[in-house]
Amino acid sequence: PDQADPPAGTNVYDYGTLINCVITNSPVENAGTQHVCVGWTGFGNCPATGDTTNTGPFTLTENSVIIWNWDTYYRLDTETNGHGSVDQDDGWFKDDDPPPVIIANPFSYYHFLAWNGNTNGCTIIGSALIAIMNQPRQIIAEFAENLAINDIPEWWLARYYPAGTNDFDGAALSDTDGDGMAAWKEYRAGTEPTNKLSVFCIADISCKTNERFSISFTSVSGKTYSAWAASNIVLNDWDRIEYATNSQAVLQSNSIPGIDGEILIYVEPLTTPQFYRIYLEP
């Protein structure tokens, strides 16, 4: 509610009283709606019109009326989710103002995906949205990464292959460092596709009679791994196996967390010859 002095309603004063009418709390904001006093209309001794919140002093010699005039504004809050921007700043708008046009601009290697938020009643034309400001609105532009073959992000490929970014699929399938892993596999593994020393592999297996086998492999923090064994890789009969963190520790079946370096685990030797592999978990 507005805070007027004198207060809204009928006020009685002596003849000849000097009056000054004022709105003291403009603008009034509440939950994304803003009421702004834009002046008054007066009758009797009150000045006939004005566009401020203060009439200035006048002498009361007859019944007089002042009507405070208010405009209503609504808040526009623009947000992004993902790698991109919008060209419309946050602000206050009247419903009879020209509606703001919001353009979503994706960053390189990303694309505009969708509009979200309070889009009801708005006009959407692809990456452009015309916001009808008859209510408070939060408008969110959603962006997503461009993906090459095998769902490899273009931004990641561009980091390592800046000269080949016209053929992202070709870059994803390439093995430029000659380590036996295509670039898309190196993305999954968290390794560098242009550095042959950065590769996901079993580094060493040590087999001793009547002792646990030790297996060391390269790892990356944020990734998890598991150990598997098979007696016949042609039949693809791989089974997940338990492991221990040292030669005497209790065997466990938990996933193995990466550490940005080599990990050493121990497995029980089986009664038949086995193949071993380390599996990078999704």
Side-chain angles (χ1 to χ4, degrees), residues 27-66:
V28 181
E29 295 183 17
N30 181 35
T33 301
Q34 184 185 76
H35 301 285
V36 180
C37 181
V38 293
W40 73 87
T41 302
F43 304 91
N45 295 133
C46 180
T49 61
D51 58 4
T52 68
T53 58
N54 190 328
T55 63
F58 60 91
T59 301
L60 195 62
T61 61
E62 59 179 316
N63 290 334
S64 301
V65 176
I66 182 170

Side-chain angles (χ1 to χ4, degrees), residues 196-254:
K196 66 179 180 180
L197 299 179
S198 174
V199 62
F200 171 50
C201 65
I202 291 179
D204 183 63
I205 295 181
S206 177
C207 308
K208 296 181 179 180
T209 304
N210 298 324
E211 292 185 11
R212 287 175 174 174
F213 295 171
S214 64
I215 303 174
S216 63
F217 62 94
T218 57
S219 71
V220 175
S221 62
K223 305 289 185 180
T224 57
Y225 308 85
S226 53
W228 295 68
S231 59
N232 189 329
I233 59 175
V234 175
L235 297 178
N236 202 31
D237 62 345
W238 293 98
D239 291 313
R240 182 164 176 164
I241 59 175
E242 294 183 318
Y243 71 94
T245 54
N246 63 61
S247 61
Q248 303 299 319
V250 176
L251 294 172
Q252 57 180 296
S253 58
N254 299 332

Side-chain angles (χ1 to χ4, degrees), residues 99-247:
V101 178
I102 309 170
I103 305 295
N105 300 299
F107 296 159
S108 296
Y109 315 118
Y110 294 82
H111 62 275
F112 170 73
L113 186 63
W115 292 104
N116 216 330
N118 308 118
T119 61
N120 54 299
C122 297
T123 300
I124 296 175
I125 308 171
S127 60
L129 181 144
I130 303 173
I132 307 302
M133 293 306 299
N134 55 5
Q135 67 176 72
R137 294 188 185 275
Q138 183 185 63
I139 303 296
I140 305 168
E142 305 275 356
F143 300 92
E145 57 192 11
N146 298 341
L147 299 177
I149 191 170
N150 295 322
D151 295 332
I152 306 305
E154 289 183 358
W155 62 263
W156 184 84
L157 292 166
R159 176 188 298 172
Y160 295 102
Y161 304 101
T165 51
N166 290 326
D167 182 12
F168 287 107
D169 288 348
L173 295 172
S174 69
D175 179 21
T176 54
D177 58 3
D179 61 6
M181 290 186 69
W184 72 268
K185 293 181 179 180
E186 301 229 32
Y187 171 77
R188 296 269 194 268
T191 54
E192 299 178 12
T194 55
N195 180 1
K196 66 179 180 180
L197 299 179
S198 174
V199 62
F200 171 50
C201 65
I202 291 179
D204 183 63
I205 295 181
S206 177
C207 308
K208 296 181 179 180
T209 304
N210 298 324
E211 292 185 11
R212 287 175 174 174
F213 295 171
S214 64
I215 303 174
S216 63
F217 62 94
T218 57
S219 71
V220 175
S221 62
K223 305 289 185 180
T224 57
Y225 308 85
S226 53
W228 295 68
S231 59
N232 189 329
I233 59 175
V234 175
L235 297 178
N236 202 31
D237 62 345
W238 293 98
D239 291 313
R240 182 164 176 164
I241 59 175
E242 294 183 318
Y243 71 94
T245 54
N246 63 61
S247 61

Side-chain angles (χ1 to χ4, degrees), residues 72-76 88-89 91-95 97-98 100 133:
T72 300
Y73 291 79
Y74 298 105
R75 181 71 175 174
L76 174 63
Q88 175 64 56
D89 293 332
W92 296 94
F93 297 86
K94 291 195 299 181
D95 60 0
D97 284 341
M133 293 306 299

